[in-house]
Amino acid sequence: MKPLVLKYVPESKESVVGQDDVIAKLKSFIENFKSAKKKALLIYGPTGCGKTSAVYAVASGLNLEVLETNASEVRNKDQINSVIGSASQQMSLFSKGKVILIDEVDGLSGQKDRGGLQTLIKLVKDTSFPIIMTITNPWENKFSSLRSKSELLQFNTLTTSNVFDKLKEIADKEKIVYEETTLRGLARRSDGDLRSAINDLQSLSIDGNLTKESLDELGERNRLDSMLLALTRIFKTTDPVIARDALNNVNEDLDQSIMWIDENLPYEYKEPEALAMAYDYLSKADVFRRRIRRWQHWRFLIYISAFITAGIAVSKKEKNKDFVKYKPTSRILKLWRANMKYQKRKAIALKIAEHTHTSSREALKSTLPYMQVIFKNNVEMAGRLAEELDFNQEEIDWLKR
């Protein structure tokens, strides 16, 4: 059986869900590539919102070939030059125009990728064809040079209505029996991830029926249930063997697992000595996590896993017999929002500092506030400044807020 997510992949820009304004900008970038000042487009947005599908749909409408590669697979200088370098200069087969799509640029990191990002930046500058890159967070410091050479385009988070309408269309075409409230519940639980919602629709309706019971079993994409079970195995045992494997089948990355534990630990451990020892293990895990980021020594993962599972489990003398309602952390979202806001602000300050021959810190303190006033109140002057300082549309929008 063909996966529905492939069967119903958008074939035209009109069939891309919830991104009308963005699609228009994407199409304009490709059409006006030759006269554009910047030859690459950096697109970002949440998982499953249609970034990759939109590129294919727009390219198809313009009769262009898409050459796709993943930055996590083509990482170092030689690989990038071999795969992307030649493609950025050579005409495709049958002299058909093309778009170069590089997925997950975030994958370029670490010692093994040395020279990879710099090579990509050079290719972006000299390319003969549009280069479109997808990224989760374009505001990280390491991407500052890539940002300056690219236009930025943010894809929207899909609404529940967007997801529901698409699921209804697919369900009707596949003759799946459903109640509208159940289908809407599936759309709501997807949290804007259309791809995962379509996959869930297919897995829950193998017999041709989507029922409320099957949706209840899914339970927020199994995320909450599996994490709650893992926390129970860690917090409610003193046996390190039981706790050690608690996170093996949890669909959360390492940072999220640590934040779940950090959020709920003080509600579970009431004895000061046990709580202090548990946080000591958690802090040791964080030290090794940072060593991995700095030196790419992935063998440290085994120590992190042991610290946040078995280590925390043996920190107490006996388990807490009281019921504790575990809750997800809101810190991830808060950190992400704060980081995105800060990085945009810093990127603007760096451009101001370069043109005013001062430090970025001084630009943040003395110049940026006045710049915001100008962009809010003087359209003509704001336009001249934007051109002079090479602000992209994202930065202009930020200054106008």
Side-chain angles (χ1 to χ4, degrees), residues 123-190:
L123 292 177
V124 162
K125 184 179 179 181
D126 300 330
T127 182
S128 299
F129 300 95
I131 292 180
I132 301 176
M133 299 165 284
T134 68
I135 190 170
T136 303
N137 178 13
W139 306 106
E140 290 187 59
N141 288 337
K142 64 182 179 182
F143 296 121
S144 59
S145 296
L146 187 61
R147 283 198 312 269
S148 68
K149 298 291 186 296
S150 310
E151 292 290 341
L152 270 71
L153 182 60
Q154 182 176 12
F155 270 60
N156 305 317
T157 301
L158 298 182
T159 65
T160 297
S161 295
N162 292 146
V163 178
F164 170 76
D165 290 342
K166 190 64 179 180
L167 291 180
K168 188 176 188 302
E169 175 191 333
I170 294 172
D172 291 341
K173 289 181 178 179
E174 295 295 317
K175 295 181 170 44
I176 297 172
V177 179
Y178 63 90
E179 290 186 3
E180 188 169 307
T181 54
T182 304
L183 194 65
R184 195 173 293 278
L186 178 58
R188 190 179 303 113
R189 292 178 188 228
S190 71

Side-chain angles (χ1 to χ4, degrees), residues 229-243:
L229 179 60
L231 291 177
T232 300
R233 294 182 67 184
I234 295 170
F235 290 152
K236 297 297 187 182
T237 185
T238 56
D239 187 339
V241 177
I242 294 175

Side-chain angles (χ1 to χ4, degrees), residues 46-58:
T47 301
C49 68
K51 298 187 291 295
T52 302
S53 298
V55 175
Y56 275 93
V58 172

Side-chain angles (χ1 to χ4, degrees), residues 3-20:
L4 294 181
V5 73
L6 295 180
K7 186 176 180 179
Y8 291 97
V9 68
E11 295 182 352
S12 66
K13 60 185 179 65
E14 289 78 17
S15 59
V16 178
V17 176
Q19 306 291 353
D20 293 346

Side-chain angles (χ1 to χ4, degrees), residues 10 61 69-70 79 99 115 127 132 147 166 168 207 212 225 236 248 284 286 290 323 326 365 373 378 395:
T69 187
N70 193 297
Q79 291 173 332
V99 172
T127 182
I132 301 176
R147 283 198 312 269
K166 190 64 179 180
K168 188 176 188 302
D207 62 352
K212 184 178 183 301
D225 289 343
K236 297 297 187 182
N248 285 359
K284 285 183 171 68
D286 190 54
R290 291 177 181 275
F323 171 75
Y326 304 135
K365 179 181 177 182
V373 173
N378 193 323
E395 292 163 342

Side-chain angles (χ1 to χ4, degrees), residues 319-333:
K319 66 181 181 181
N320 180 5
K321 296 180 181 179
D322 297 334
F323 171 75
V324 177
K325 185 177 180 180
Y326 304 135
K327 58 183 180 179
T329 177
S330 59
R331 189 181 172 199
I332 297 174
L333 183 58

